């Protein structure tokens, strides 16, 4: 009897040991036609799941033995394999694209959306970027992001981003992990991201992962295509404004690929023609983007080389001549980014993955004038004068970053790593060179040329763990620590991050999150408007970092198939915001920008409703935001230290986006946007002032900044894409209408002082009039793209 | 520049410009009061008007009372003259006599008989500042745009004893002239005059509030701190030292003098002009103690008064308001001064052979 019992126990022990033995499955998920890695693809085995990271790598630890694993990705046919796993196994999967848009299989973990532990995170659908009607029919990443709840544009039609009451400099825009300082062309009408090159876009508005730092309002992580590993493909396109070209293909098949994109305004091609027609001015922009990807044998290493260069330039040339004098003038303003990066992915083991990046990033703005004047006088004397004036502003970053993904067990996804950035800022440089002919009738002077340079050492470490505690509860704690040293002073910041999620089988989830963020650069922008001449300035020994504390709470529901609902509330407190003091000249100045600004605090709070339909022929979303954003500067140099509305305070913001797959050849799109008007500063009434010398004057009375609310703006956009397959490719005609009912929304607002006759007083009185400039009325456009 | 770029952007795009429905609510008329009350003066003026969104009009008759140390003083409306410059302006001037000492609580109330307008304001005269020392030296300077021209300036260094806590100040200089006019064959005539010469303080970190502009700066040294106000945040210790300069031409320029003729014809025309004068100038360096509210107010109106405020390129300026029941600002300040007597100058105008004065009445040499 004892032997029987002992035998049963031993058998049970053997079975138990076998059942508890765990194996790790890892590998890459790619597109079978192009070899492109698929980011955020789902892997599910029973109740355990994982997603591919930003580089297409996944790892999943499951009980050994017979099991079934499914790999899926939206827009692709899922693959399910029955396996008998006895040891750690590498399985690389190639998914096939599906014509039918279907939701991905449910995965236990996701990086964004309802399934994620995080809140305030949205993944921007790539199809939406291509099909959503926007200005001039140009697919634009940032324009689509503006239609998400909690995000707004500064001005109607412009691509600046103002997220949860924050300024445009509080967004970290990453292009394959490298930050871009100014991501706008044409004063913000277009962004620098070309949709053909984009693979995935993720927006973080709150609940920031610990691996991100350096900005306090949002992170926009844009990942680009690696390039087709198997065949050459590309597209050429012409729209109302620009021309574009995209080519990708293998350099060595299944080993090395490239992806190259170029886009430019028509005016860059027809510069001489424009001058031939007598126009003294021209404006153009261009983007060049390139990437080379190499997979090493063994499949454990990948090397990437990224390049981006973009430029905007406006110039004006004038030649004047009469009998006595001639004058040639050239004025130019140009700004742009240059980014180069080398990245290395390495798979240490089935559970440990690393990415290392070396990068150089430069942003520069240059404004210059050249004048050459010559005069001959009646008395026989002459004068010759050359004047050259230059104004520069810019920054350069050299950076090194390494981060690791470690998944010891499925319940823990641990990320850790560090980064070092060396910053060089030159906020303002003014140079003036005057040369004459020595006749004594002109000036000779050489002034300036070397601006004040600021250097900063920015080192950070991070750690986070995405933990599943049971079936319904998950938590993501993290810590980001930064040390920033400049001008002999060091600023240290500890930034805790915490996200919590509780979900139920009924498809309801409740989430809460807290994030502390720090920022070490500021964009100085006037309260009147933003332009490329705005200055990027670093923190200094007197200007401290900007910090924010954001708490949020939300409820989510995805129990209705093909639909997702969410309602989030947030509160954000910001310390260290910068604005120009009252009465300061924000144009060309001296090297004393620090004395022109004041530091203050800000608070923003709001509610965001998001409803998305994700499957079927008709997809889209509705995003509504109710929000408030204010600032205060206790030092007294701005509105006497009172709270006043932030320049981009907008009470209501509603966006409706609908995409409909009418037939296999026709896609329709519609968007409707409504936004409470922005703020401006207007004289409230007339008053009299007396100065210490006894002078009394009539003056405009302003009680605080941003005291006037402009009218609300709204517009409807429609578009249609007509696809046609050819033997060697596909052509798409895009017809779109921006602002269908021609709503005259204000893009710029000017104040004019006029006079009118007042019958009551019998005299002429001053009157302030507002004139709005609408540069975006109804705009139909046609575009053509040929993909091969 | 920005407006220029705006327009150029518009040229590249389809655009429309039109007036907005600027719905600024029509506000009813409101009483406006303003004044600057100084402890160094014995006669004080308060200005009153009525205004709304668009216009300023004369105020109706007001009963205005000033209460100092519990004692009521009724202000009298002053009949203005051309010299006051108020003849065509819509505001009325009310004055009262009385000493204002540091620590005095000054309450001003104004109301119409029918009660339509009623306003009060209360301020406390700040403590007297301590101007411990004023040093002067003559310097010669050149500027970027006229490198061959040398100017002579009188440079001042002012020492302020700064008590604990936050303090705010204003600095100005008043020149007082005792002038004796000479003419051959005519009796001397004595006149007095005062004026405020222009203070050049852009290169001083305290008076420019940290925005120092050197003589080599592209856009000159003229500061937007029109009233030379400053706080003690830039003082390094218990004593603050500020410096500024005044152009000699500005001190001794006799063109400002309204010199009468030495002898007139029966029809009133000039028969003979004075041909020289003896000028005794005294410079009063005045240091004012300000409350924070007054400092903010002077900062706001000073930027506008500097002549360098261009609303298209500058941040808007809010103006404080400390009158209840009305709009406006009643400012108070205490004053301490040190006087500096300058050497007496003999200035000759010269007459031509006909005995007429030379065309340039200010040919003095420095």
């Amino acid at each position: 009897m004892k032997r029987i019992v002992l035998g049963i126990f031993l058998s049970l022990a053997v079975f138990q040991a076998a059942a508890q033995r765990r194996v790790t499955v890892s590998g890459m998920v790619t597109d079978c036609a192009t070899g492109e890695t698929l980011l955020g693809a789902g892997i599910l085995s029973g109740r355990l799941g994982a997603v591919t990271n930003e580089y297409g790598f996944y790892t999943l630890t499951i009980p050994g033995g017979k099991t079934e694993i499914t790999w899926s990705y939206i827009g692709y046919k899922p693959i399910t394999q029955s396996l008998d796993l006895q040891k750690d196994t590498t399985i690389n999967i190639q998914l096939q694209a599906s014509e039918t848009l279907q939701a991905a299989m449910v995965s236990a973990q996701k990086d964004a959306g309802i399934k994620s532990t995080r809140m305030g995170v949205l993944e921007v659908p790539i199809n939406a970027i291509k099909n959503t009607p926007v200005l001039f029919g140009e697919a634009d990443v940032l324009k689509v992001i503006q239609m998400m709840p909690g995000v707004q544009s500064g001005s109607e039609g412009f691509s600046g981003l103002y997220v949860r009451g924050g300024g445009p400099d509080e967004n970290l825009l990453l292009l394959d992990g490298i930050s871009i300082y100014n991501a706008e062309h044409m004063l913000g009408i277009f962004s620098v991201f070309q949709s053909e090159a984009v693979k995935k876009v993720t927006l973080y508005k709150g609940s920031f992962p610990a691996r991100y730092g350096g900005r306090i309002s949002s992170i926009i992580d844009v990942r680009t295509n690696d390039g087709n590993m198997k065949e050459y493909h590309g597209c050429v396109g012409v729209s109302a404004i620009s021309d574009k070209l995209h080519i990708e293909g293998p350099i060595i098949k299944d080993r090395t690929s490239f992806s190259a994109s170029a886009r430019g305004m028509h005016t860059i091609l027809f510069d001489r023609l424009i001058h031939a027609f007598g126009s003294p001015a021209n404006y153009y922009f261009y983007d060049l983007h390139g990437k080379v990807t190499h997979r090493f044998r063994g499949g454990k290493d990948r090397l990437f080389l990224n390049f981006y260069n973009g430029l905007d330039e406006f110039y004006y040339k004038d030649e004047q001549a009469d009998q006595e004098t001639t004058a040639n003038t050239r004025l130019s303003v140009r700004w742009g980014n240059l980014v180069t990066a080398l990245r290395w992915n390495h798979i240490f083991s089935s559970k440990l993955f690393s990415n290392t990046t070396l990068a150089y990033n430069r942003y520069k703005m240059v404004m210059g004038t050249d004048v050459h004047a010559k005069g001959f006088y009646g008395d026989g004397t002459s004068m010759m004068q050359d004047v050259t004036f230059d104004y520069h502003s810019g920054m350069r970053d050299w950076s090194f970053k390494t981060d690791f993904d470690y998944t010891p067990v499925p319940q823990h996804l641990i990320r850790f790593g560090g980064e070092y950035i060396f910053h060089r800022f030159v906020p303002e440089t003014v140079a003036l060179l005057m040369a004459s002919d020595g006749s004594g009738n002109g000036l000779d002077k050489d002034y300036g040329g070397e601006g004040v340079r600021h250097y900063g050492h920015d080192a950070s470490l991070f750690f986070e763990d995405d933990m599943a505690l049971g079936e319904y509860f998950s938590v993501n704690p993290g810590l980001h620590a930064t040390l920033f040293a400049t001008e002999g002073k060091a600023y240290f910041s500890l930034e805790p991050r915490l996200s919590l999620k509780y979900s139920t089988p009924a498809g309801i989830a409740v989430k809460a999150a807290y994030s502390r963020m720090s920022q070490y650069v500021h964009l100085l922008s006037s309260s009147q408007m933003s332009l490329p001449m705005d200055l990027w300035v670093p923190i200094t020994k007197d200007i401290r970092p900007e910090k924010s504390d954001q708490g949020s709470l939300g409820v989510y529901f995805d129990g209705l198939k093909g639909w997702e609902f969410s309602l989030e509330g947030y509160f954000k407190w910001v310390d260290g915001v910068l604005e120009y003091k009252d009465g300061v000249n924000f144009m060309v100045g001296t090297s004393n920008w620090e004395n022109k600004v004041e530091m203050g605090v800000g608070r923003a709070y709001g509610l965001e409703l998001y409803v998305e339909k994700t499957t079927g022929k008709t997809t889209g979303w509705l995003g509504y935001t109710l929000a408030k954003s204010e600032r205060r500067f206790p030092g007294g140099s701005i509105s006497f230290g009172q709270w006043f509305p932030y320049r981009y305070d907008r009470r209501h913001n509603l966006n409706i986006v609908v995409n409909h797959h009418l037939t296999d050849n026709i896609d329709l799109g519609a968007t409707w946007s409504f936004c409470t008007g922005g703020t401006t500063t207007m004289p409230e009434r007339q008053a009299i002032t007396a100065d210490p010398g006894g002078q009394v004057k009539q003056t405009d009375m302003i009680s605080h900044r941003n005291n006037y609310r402009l009218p609300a703006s709204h517009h409807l956009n429609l578009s249609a894409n007509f696809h046609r397959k050819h033997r060697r490719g596909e052509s798409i005609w895009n017809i779109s209408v921006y602002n269908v009912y021609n709503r005259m929304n204000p893009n710029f607002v000017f104040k004019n002082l006029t006079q009118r006759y007042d019958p009551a007083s019998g005299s002429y009185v001053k009157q302030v009039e507002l004139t709005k400039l609408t540069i975006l009325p109804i705009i139909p456009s046609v575009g053509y793209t040929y993909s091969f | 520049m920005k407006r220029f770029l705006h327009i150029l952007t518009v040229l590249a795009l389809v655009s429309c410009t039109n007036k907005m429905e600027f719905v600024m609510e029509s506000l009813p008329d409101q009483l406006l009061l303003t004044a600057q009350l100084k402890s160094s003066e014995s006669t004080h003026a308060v200005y009153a008007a009525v205004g709304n969104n668009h216009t300023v009009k004369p105020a109706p008759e007001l009963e205005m009372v000033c209460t100092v140390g519990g004692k009521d003083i009724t202000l009298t409306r002053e009949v203005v003259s051309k010299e006051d410059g108020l003849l065509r302006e819509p505001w009325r001037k009310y004055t009262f006599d009385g000493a204002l000492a540091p620590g005095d609580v000054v309450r001003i109330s104004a109301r119409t008989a029918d009660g339509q307008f009623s306003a009060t304001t209360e301020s406390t005269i700040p403590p007297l500042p301590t101007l411990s020392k004023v040093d002067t030296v003559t310097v010669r300077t050149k500027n970027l745009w006229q490198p061959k021209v040398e100017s002579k300036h009188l440079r001042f260094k002012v020492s302020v004893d700064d008590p604990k806590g936050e303090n705010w100040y204003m600095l100005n200089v008043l020149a007082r002239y005792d002038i004796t006019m000479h003419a051959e064959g005519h009796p001397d005539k004595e006149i007095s005059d005062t004026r405020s010469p222009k203070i050049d303080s852009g290169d001083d970190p305290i008076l420019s509030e940290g925005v120092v502009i050197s003589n080599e700066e592209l856009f000159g040294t003229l500061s937007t701190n029109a009233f030379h106000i400053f706080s003690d945040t830039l003082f390094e210790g218990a004593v603050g030292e500020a410096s500024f300069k005044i152009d000699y031409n500005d001190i001794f320029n006799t063109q400002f003098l309204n010199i009468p003729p030495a002898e007139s014809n029966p029809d009133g025309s000039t028969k003979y002009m004075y041909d020289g004068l003896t000028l005794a100038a005294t410079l009063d360096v005045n240091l004012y103690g300000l409350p924070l509210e007054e400092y903010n107010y002077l900062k706001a109106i000073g930027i506008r008064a500097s002549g360098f405020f261009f609303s298209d390129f500058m941040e808007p300026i809010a103006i404080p308001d400390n009158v209840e029941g009305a709009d406006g600002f009643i400012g108070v300040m205490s004053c301490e001064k040190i006087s500096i007597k300058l050497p007496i100058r003999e200035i000759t105008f010269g007459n031509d052979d006909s005995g007429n004065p030379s065309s340039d009445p200010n040919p003095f040499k420095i």
Side-chain angles (χ1 to χ4, degrees):
Chain A
M1 184 62 180
K2 281 186 186 175
R3 284 183 189 175
I4 293 170
V5 170
L6 186 62
I8 291 170
F9 272 117
L10 280 172
S11 301
L12 284 172
V14 168
F15 271 117
Q16 191 70 10
Q20 289 177 349
R21 189 174 66 244
R22 302 177 81 81
V23 294
T24 299
V25 179
S26 63
M28 306 293 289
V29 179
T30 57
D31 180 313
C32 82
T34 65
E36 198 69 52
T37 52
L38 298 178
L39 317 183
I43 302 94
L44 192 66
S45 174
R47 287 192 173 275
L48 298 173
V51 291
T52 55
N53 66 9
E54 296 88 357
Y55 310 100
F57 174 78
Y58 76 92
T59 174
L60 179 66
T61 302
I62 54 177
K66 289 185 180 172
T67 188
E68 208 169 74
I69 303 178
T70 301
W71 292 263
S72 60
Y73 190 63
I74 192 162
Y76 288 77
K77 289 180 190 167
I79 289 177
T80 301
Q81 290 186 2
S82 298
L83 303 160
D84 185 5
L85 298 169
Q86 303 301 326
K87 59 176 182 176
D88 292 348
T89 306
T90 298
I91 304 179
N92 295 319
I93 291 292
Q94 297 179 352
L95 296 178
Q96 187 176 12
S98 166
E99 303 252 331
T100 309
L101 196 66
Q102 56 192 356
M105 298 288 288
V106 169
S107 171
Q109 292 176 349
K110 278 200 78 175
D111 207 31
I114 289 177
K115 293 297 176 206
S116 168
T117 308
R118 304 196 176 285
M119 54 190 301
V121 184
L122 292 168
E123 191 173 316
V124 181
I126 297 300
N127 279 340
I129 294 172
K130 291 178 178 168
N131 295 331
T132 299
V134 288
L135 193 55
F136 296 112
E138 295 269 347
D140 191 276
V141 166
L142 296 189
K143 287 280 193 312
V144 174
I145 288 177
Q146 284 174 354
M147 296 187 193
M148 301 291 178
V151 183
Q152 57 189 256
S153 64
S155 297
E156 159 80 20
F158 291 72
S159 62
L161 293 178
Y162 300 82
V163 181
R164 289 189 171 177
D169 58 326
E170 296 173 7
N171 308 308
L172 181 64
L173 278 88
L174 297 171
L175 182 64
D176 284 329
I178 311 302
S179 70
I180 298 269
Y181 281 101
N182 185 339
E184 297 173 359
H185 288 304
M186 242 178 140
L187 305 182
I189 292 179
F190 302 105
S191 73
V192 303
F193 304 110
Q194 294 170 251
S195 59
E196 293 77 22
V198 169
K199 180 158 51 175
K200 184 183 178 197
V201 181
T202 310
L203 166 68
Y204 299 88
K205 301 178 290 180
S207 181
F208 302 103
R211 60 188 179 273
Y212 295 116
R215 299 289 190 278
I216 63 173
S217 275
S218 80
I219 313 290
I220 294 146
D221 192 347
V222 178
R223 299 283 165 174
T224 61
N225 293 324
D226 297 334
N228 195 319
M229 283 275 179
K230 298 179 187 301
E231 296 175 333
Y232 293 99
H233 287 281
C235 68
V236 292
V238 178
S239 73
I241 287 283
S242 66
D243 310 299
K244 58 187 177 186
L245 170 67
H246 173 75
I247 301 176
E248 59 180 277
I251 299 173
I252 302 170
K253 194 171 178 181
D254 289 324
R255 187 72 56 207
T256 311
S257 67
F258 75 95
S259 170
S261 307
R263 176 178 65 169
M265 273 184 80
H266 300 315
T267 49
I268 195 176
L269 299 176
F270 302 112
D271 188 44
R272 287 180 190 267
L273 191 63
I274 289 169
H275 287 301
F277 276 101
S279 171
N282 193 11
Y283 171 85
Y284 65 85
F285 71 84
Y286 70 78
D287 291 300
L288 297 171
H289 180 251
K291 191 171 181 180
V292 175
T293 304
H294 178 72
R295 291 182 199 167
F296 289 90
R297 290 183 195 280
K300 287 189 181 298
D301 295 275
R302 287 186 180 220
L303 199 64
F304 305 87
L305 181 64
N306 281 72
F307 169 82
Y308 169 77
N309 180 228
L311 184 77
D312 284 70
E313 180 167 9
F314 164 81
Y315 68 82
Y316 172 84
K317 287 187 205 173
D318 185 44
E319 291 177 12
Q320 301 279 341
D322 60 27
Q323 284 182 335
E324 289 184 338
T325 57
T326 59
N328 297 323
T329 305
R330 180 186 163 99
L331 162 73
S332 73
V333 184
R334 57 182 188 279
W335 62 95
N337 301 282
L338 172 67
V339 175
T340 59
L342 185 66
R343 284 189 296 121
W344 171 47
N345 288 171
H346 180 64
I347 301 172
F348 286 91
S349 71
S350 57
K351 297 180 183 179
L352 183 63
F353 173 93
S354 79
N355 173 65
T356 303
T357 308
L358 201 62
Y360 169 74
N361 180 3
R362 185 209 74 195
Y363 172 74
K364 195 169 182 182
M365 187 280 293
V366 179
M367 189 161 60
T369 301
D370 295 307
V371 178
H372 175 77
K374 197 180 261 189
F376 300 92
Y377 305 111
D379 61 0
T381 58
S382 67
M383 182 276 295
M384 189 279 290
Q385 183 75 62
D386 280 329
V387 178
T388 303
F389 173 80
D390 273 317
Y391 177 82
H392 298 185
S393 176
M395 69 285 289
R396 295 180 195 214
D397 290 348
W398 291 263
S399 64
F400 172 80
K401 177 167 68 172
T402 186
D403 43 82
F404 299 86
D405 290 2
Y406 178 53
T407 313
V409 290
Q411 292 83 3
H412 288 266
L413 171 55
I414 297 171
R415 297 183 204 226
F416 61 96
E419 183 176 19
Y420 170 76
I421 308 175
F422 175 69
H423 299 280
R424 191 190 84 169
F425 290 87
V426 184
E428 309 180 274
T429 301
V430 177
L432 174 68
L433 178 66
M434 294 188 288
S436 71
D437 58 359
S439 64
N441 294 322
L443 284 171
D444 291 280
K445 191 69 191 175
D446 189 350
Y447 169 86
E450 280 294 320
V452 175
R453 294 182 178 190
H454 297 271
Y455 298 97
H457 301 274
D458 183 352
S460 59
L461 296 171
F462 74 89
F463 177 90
E464 63 177 280
D465 186 3
D466 203 353
M467 299 189 285
L469 306 176
E471 196 174 337
Y472 302 117
F473 189 70
S474 61
V475 61
N476 187 317
L479 188 67
H480 186 102
T482 308
L483 180 70
F484 194 101
T486 181
E487 298 182 340
K489 190 161 181 178
Y491 296 94
F492 179 68
S493 148
L494 268 181
E495 300 164 28
R497 318 275 171 87
L498 180 65
S499 302
L500 305 162
K501 183 188 86 167
Y502 179 77
S503 54
T504 72
I508 297 173
V510 177
K511 300 184 192 178
Y514 165 77
S515 295
R516 163 165 279 211
M517 304 288 283
S518 295
Q519 182 165 327
Y520 301 93
V521 293
H522 301 272
L523 180 67
L524 286 183
S525 179
S526 81
S527 67
Q528 317 249 33
M529 84 167 294
S530 300
L531 273 184
M533 284 72 89
D534 296 337
L535 302 182
W536 279 98
V537 296
I539 60 167
T540 65
K541 56 180 171 37
D542 301 313
I543 304 289
R544 63 180 188 274
E546 199 173 338
K547 288 188 195 287
S548 75
D549 291 285
Q550 183 178 167
S552 42
L553 189 64
V555 63
Y556 307 80
F557 176 66
D558 69 344
L560 193 61
K561 190 180 175 187
W563 289 86
E564 292 184 3
F565 301 84
S566 70
L567 181 66
E568 287 185 20
Y570 68 89
F571 179 85
K572 183 161 74 174
W573 178 267
V574 184
D575 179 48
V577 294
L578 279 192
E579 282 204 26
Y580 284 112
K581 297 176 183 174
D582 282 358
V584 159
N585 179 350
F586 47 76
M587 292 297 289
V588 177
T590 70
S591 55
N592 291 315
W593 64 265
E594 292 171 68
N595 294 308
K596 295 186 189 179
V597 300
E598 187 167 341
M599 303 206 80
V601 295
R603 61 187 180 198
Y605 42 93
L607 270 178
E608 296 167 7
L609 172 68
Y610 184 61
V611 178
E612 186 182 9
K613 184 171 187 292
T614 58
T615 58
K617 285 200 163 188
T618 305
T619 57
W621 67 85
L622 176 149
Y624 170 71
T625 308
L626 174 66
K628 188 170 182 178
S629 179
E630 302 174 294
R631 294 204 163 176
R632 186 171 81 95
F633 294 82
S637 293
I638 301 174
S639 299
F640 318 117
Q642 306 164 8
W643 283 104
F644 62 89
Y646 177 46
R647 188 172 138 208
Y648 295 106
D649 174 48
R650 303 279 200 281
R651 197 66 62 247
H652 304 281
N653 193 334
L654 174 65
N655 290 291
I656 300 173
V657 176
V658 178
N659 291 309
H660 181 66
H661 186 69
L662 187 65
T663 67
D664 285 346
N665 295 326
I666 302 176
D667 293 315
L668 303 175
T671 64
W672 187 73
S673 299
F674 172 90
C675 189
T676 306
T679 58
T680 188
T681 307
M682 295 289 294
E684 293 161 40
R685 58 186 311 129
Q686 295 297 300
I688 55 172
T689 58
D691 70 23
Q695 294 291 310
V696 181
K697 290 181 183 172
Q698 181 176 339
T699 191
D700 297 331
M701 183 71 174
I702 296 171
S703 62
H704 62 83
R705 208 174 268 197
N706 302 330
N707 58 356
Y708 181 72
R709 178 78 57 183
L710 295 167
S713 60
H714 51 87
H715 64 271
L716 172 69
N717 308 331
L718 299 173
S719 76
N721 286 330
F722 299 93
H723 303 257
R724 186 174 174 189
K725 287 202 185 321
H726 302 276
R727 193 169 55 168
R728 292 185 187 277
E730 182 188 29
S731 62
I732 306 172
W733 280 97
N734 168 269
I735 297 172
S736 65
V737 181
Y738 181 88
N739 195 1
V740 169
Y741 50 81
N742 201 28
R743 165 79 179 176
M744 291 295 175
N745 297 307
N747 297 108
F748 304 108
V749 174
F750 304 110
K751 295 183 276 271
N752 294 318
L753 278 178
T754 60
Q755 286 194 322
R756 66 172 177 86
Y757 182 72
D758 178 31
S761 62
S763 61
Y764 283 91
V765 297
K766 271 186 2 177
Q767 177 167 285
V768 177
E769 281 185 345
L770 277 183
T771 301
K772 65 176 174 178
L773 186 64
T774 300
I775 64 171
L776 302 173
I778 179 170
I779 301 178
S781 62
V782 177
Y784 176 80
T785 304
Y786 183 80
S787 302
F788 53 90
Chain B
M1 173 61 75
K2 281 191 179 179
R3 192 182 294 261
F4 180 56
L5 287 171
H6 297 168
I7 295 167
L8 288 167
T9 304
V10 163
L11 289 174
L13 299 166
V14 174
S15 69
C16 299
T17 304
N18 46 45
K19 291 200 176 81
M20 285 181 72
E21 276 181 46
F22 180 29
V23 183
M24 180 168 260
E25 56 178 288
S26 292
L27 297 173
D29 286 346
Q30 179 76 287
L31 184 62
L32 308 175
L33 295 177
T34 189
Q36 291 286 307
L37 308 177
K38 299 183 190 124
S39 67
S40 55
E41 291 174 358
S42 54
T43 300
H44 312 279
V46 178
Y47 300 87
V50 158
N52 56 28
N53 310 52
H54 308 296
T55 188
V56 171
K57 299 178 287 195
E61 281 299 322
L62 291 168
E63 295 166 9
M64 208 179 286
V65 174
C66 173
T67 306
V68 182
K71 185 179 162 192
D72 287 348
I73 308 168
T74 301
L75 281 74
T76 52
R77 183 172 152 194
E78 200 170 285
V79 176
V80 298
S81 64
K82 274 187 188 175
E83 282 71 29
D84 283 316
L86 297 175
L87 199 59
R88 292 183 182 175
E89 303 292 359
W91 36 87
R92 306 277 188 241
K93 183 178 179 180
Y94 291 79
T95 59
F96 69 97
D97 294 327
L100 298 176
D104 280 346
V105 176
V106 181
R107 181 184 167 86
I108 292 180
S109 60
R111 59 187 294 271
T112 50
D114 60 3
Q116 182 190 6
F117 297 116
S118 175
T120 58
T121 180
E122 190 172 289
S123 305
T124 303
I125 306 289
L128 215 57
T130 307
L131 181 59
S132 56
K133 196 167 61 164
V134 176
D135 293 320
T136 60
V137 66
T138 299
V139 296
R140 294 179 188 275
T141 57
K142 296 179 185 179
N143 79 40
L144 179 73
W145 297 103
Q146 294 179 297
K148 293 180 183 172
V149 174
E150 199 174 74
S151 306
K152 189 171 164 186
H153 287 80
L154 190 63
R155 190 162 194 87
F156 293 72
K157 187 165 86 172
V158 169
S159 301
V160 177
D161 290 346
D162 185 42
K164 282 185 183 172
E166 284 188 83
N167 299 288
W168 302 272
Y169 304 96
M170 182 178 77
L171 191 74
N172 72 15
V173 174
L174 184 71
R176 291 183 286 118
Y177 301 96
D178 293 313
I179 304 158
T180 306
M181 312 295 300
H182 310 297
E184 191 174 336
H186 292 79
D188 287 348
K189 183 176 174 64
E190 294 188 356
I191 60 174
S192 298
D193 206 341
T194 60
R195 62 193 294 264
S196 296
K198 190 182 285 183
I199 293 176
D200 186 346
S201 60
D203 56 357
D204 180 73
I206 290 174
L207 290 177
S208 63
E209 300 218 279
V211 188
V212 173
I213 307 170
S214 78
N215 213 26
E216 284 291 304
E217 281 289 336
L218 201 56
F219 298 105
T221 63
L222 295 170
S223 166
T224 56
N225 188 3
F227 302 121
H228 313 293
I229 55 171
F230 57 98
S231 68
D232 60 0
T233 52
L234 289 169
F235 288 7
E236 289 199 5
V239 176
E241 290 184 343
S243 66
F244 59 90
K245 57 185 190 285
I246 298 176
D247 194 327
Y248 261 80
N249 283 326
D250 209 17
I251 298 172
F252 294 110
N253 185 352
T254 55
Q255 284 183 343
F256 70 87
L257 294 172
N258 190 13
I259 301 173
E263 187 179 345
S264 300
N265 290 316
D267 65 357
S269 61
T270 300
K271 184 174 181 182
Y272 196 79
M273 283 295 294
Y274 289 103
D275 52 16
L277 58 85
T278 303
L279 181 64
T282 303
L283 301 178
D284 293 334
V285 179
N286 298 303
L287 180 70
Y288 297 88
L290 312 173
L292 175 60
E293 221 176 25
E294 173 76 355
Y295 170 82
N296 287 333
Y297 172 80
L298 291 179
K299 193 165 195 173
I301 67 169
I303 296 173
R304 295 193 188 192
S306 68
F308 291 96
F309 182 67
F310 306 101
S311 60
D312 283 347
F313 304 124
M314 289 175 169
E315 295 293 341
I317 302 171
I319 298 182
D321 179 337
N322 68 354
V323 181
E324 276 185 47
D327 281 342
F329 190 86
I330 306 293
V332 293
M333 57 186 80
S334 55
C335 179
E336 184 67 87
K337 77 174 177 187
I338 287 179
S339 298
I340 298 168
K341 275 189 179 318
L342 298 181
I344 293 174
R345 287 188 174 274
E346 297 290 342
I347 298 172
T348 305
F349 301 143
N351 284 300
D352 61 20
D353 295 336
S354 306
N356 294 318
S358 67
S359 58
D360 179 6
N362 190 29
F364 69 93
K365 293 190 185 343
I366 55 173

